[in-house]
């Protein structure tokens, strides 16, 4: 049976939208919304080269593609001179993963691109003069150290307590964010007792459960009950934004 390319395309379901956390705050950069995206690429178990559809498309937009000659023959850069625009939308998902209105401490755990919403949170908090901000950031090595200069600048001016875990850095013991959370037990307990909100963003399969178990154990050992994290979650004080990681 011969089937035309058009017929095949007509049978395919529409592509689902991809949602990325905004990694900036309008209080810091009005009129601009940034996203921090990990470009998905690798070899599948069957040996096929796999390229993430949306992440690679976004990567390609950095080239500022010109308009096709049939569209803008005399002005390939378009009216703005910046090439073809990329249209997107902002969606309020109704998630509880948002900053508290009150001036309470904020503890953030975000390995890899899980740091994206945390960067926006910190920008927002710094703009409001709220300085009790803690970030546990996980990287494989220095090449994964996203926003390094920005994070270290906040740390230097006292707006952020920054703890960075490297899992594959040469000459450094393998460390994950949950290990740093455990090392900073006293700080964690102190801030939670001051009403801190905890935010965890990243891998749902391993990282998030390990972090949650670590925080629950630390608070239980400090005498706050085995269900302390569950109670915090019910109160909107322990929030997760997690997804299934892709591996090849």
């Amino acid at each position: 049976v011969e089937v035309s390319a058009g017929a095949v395309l007509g049978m395919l379901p529409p592509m689902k939208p991809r949602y990325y956390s905004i990694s900036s705050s309008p209080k810091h950069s009005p009129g601009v919304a940034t996203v921090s995206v990990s470009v998905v690429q690798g070899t599948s178990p069957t040996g096929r080269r796999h390229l993430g559809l949306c992440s690679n498309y976004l990567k390609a937009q950095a080239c500022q593609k010109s308009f096709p000659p049939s569209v803008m023959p005399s002005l390939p850069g378009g009216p703005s001179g910046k090439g073809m625009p990329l249209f997107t939308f902002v969606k309020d998902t109704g998630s509880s993963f948002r900053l508290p209105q009150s001036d309470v401490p904020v503890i953030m755990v975000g390995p890899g691109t899980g740091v994206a919403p945390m960067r926006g949170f910190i920008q927002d908090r710094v703009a409001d003069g709220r300085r009790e901000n803690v970030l546990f950031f996980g990287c494989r090595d220095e090449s994964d150290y996203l926003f390094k200069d920005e994070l270290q600048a906040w740390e230097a001016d006292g707006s952020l307590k920054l703890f960075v875990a490297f899992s594959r850095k040469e000459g450094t013991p393998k460390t994950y964010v949950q290990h740093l959370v455990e090392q900073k037990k006293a700080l964690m307990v102190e801030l939670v007792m001051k009403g801190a909100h905890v935010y965890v963003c990243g891998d749902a399969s391993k990282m998030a459960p390990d972090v949650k178990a670590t925080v629950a154990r630390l608070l239980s050992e400090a005498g706050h009950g085995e269900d302390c994290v569950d109670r915090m979650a019910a109160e909107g004080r322990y929030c997760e934004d997690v997804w299934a990681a892709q591996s090849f």
Side-chain angles (χ1 to χ4, degrees), residues 32-171:
V32 174
T34 67
V35 293
S36 304
V37 180
S38 176
V39 179
V40 178
Q41 53 189 344
T43 303
S44 72
T46 61
R48 178 179 60 86
R49 186 185 182 207
H50 176 84
L51 298 176
L53 181 65
C54 189
S55 61
N56 280 275
Y57 177 76
L58 290 174
K59 177 185 177 182
Q61 303 316 302
C63 301
Q64 295 185 341
K65 295 181 178 179
S66 298
F67 281 87
S70 59
V71 178
M72 287 267 184
S74 61
L75 200 63
S80 69
K82 297 181 179 180
M84 293 179 64
L86 172 64
F87 295 100
T88 185
F89 61 91
V90 177
K91 178 180 176 64
D92 183 351
T93 63
S95 167
S96 61
F97 200 90
R98 57 189 69 209
L99 287 171
Q101 295 298 316
S102 56
D103 187 9
V104 295
V106 165
I107 301 168
M108 297 160 282
V109 184
T113 52
V115 77
M118 312 312 185
R119 177 181 182 245
F121 281 1
I122 299 167
Q123 287 184 351
D124 200 273
R125 300 263 299 176
V126 170
D128 287 341
R130 297 176 175 177
R131 300 170 68 84
E132 286 192 288
N133 308 302
V134 178
L135 173 63
F136 294 94
F137 181 31
C139 317
R140 286 175 293 189
D141 52 37
E142 287 286 346
S143 66
D144 279 350
Y145 199 159
L146 306 176
F147 309 117
K148 179 177 181 179
D149 292 343
E150 193 171 7
L151 295 174
Q152 290 183 340
W154 284 322
E155 181 183 34
D157 72 14
S159 298
L160 177 68
K161 284 186 172 67
L162 175 64
F163 305 104
V164 183
F166 291 102
S167 61
R168 297 188 183 113
K169 184 177 179 180
E170 187 175 352

Side-chain angles (χ1 to χ4, degrees), residues 225-240:
E226 295 182 357
D227 64 341
C228 186
V229 169
D230 291 334
R231 285 186 276 113
M232 290 175 64
E235 297 167 1
R237 291 178 52 210
Y238 191 98
C239 304
E240 294 177 315

Side-chain angles (χ1 to χ4, degrees), residues 200-224:
V200 180
C201 184
D203 170 44
S205 63
K206 181 70 174 169
M207 181 278 299
D210 285 353
V211 168
K212 189 172 186 178
T214 300
V215 174
R217 178 167 49 79
L218 297 182
L219 294 175
S220 177
E221 291 173 353
H224 300 292

Side-chain angles (χ1 to χ4, degrees), residues 10-29:
M11 290 185 286
L12 295 177
M15 287 186 294
K16 294 181 179 180
R18 272 65 166 177
Y19 297 112
Y20 297 104
S21 299
I22 294 175
S23 59
S24 60
S25 167
K27 295 178 182 177
H28 177 270
S29 48

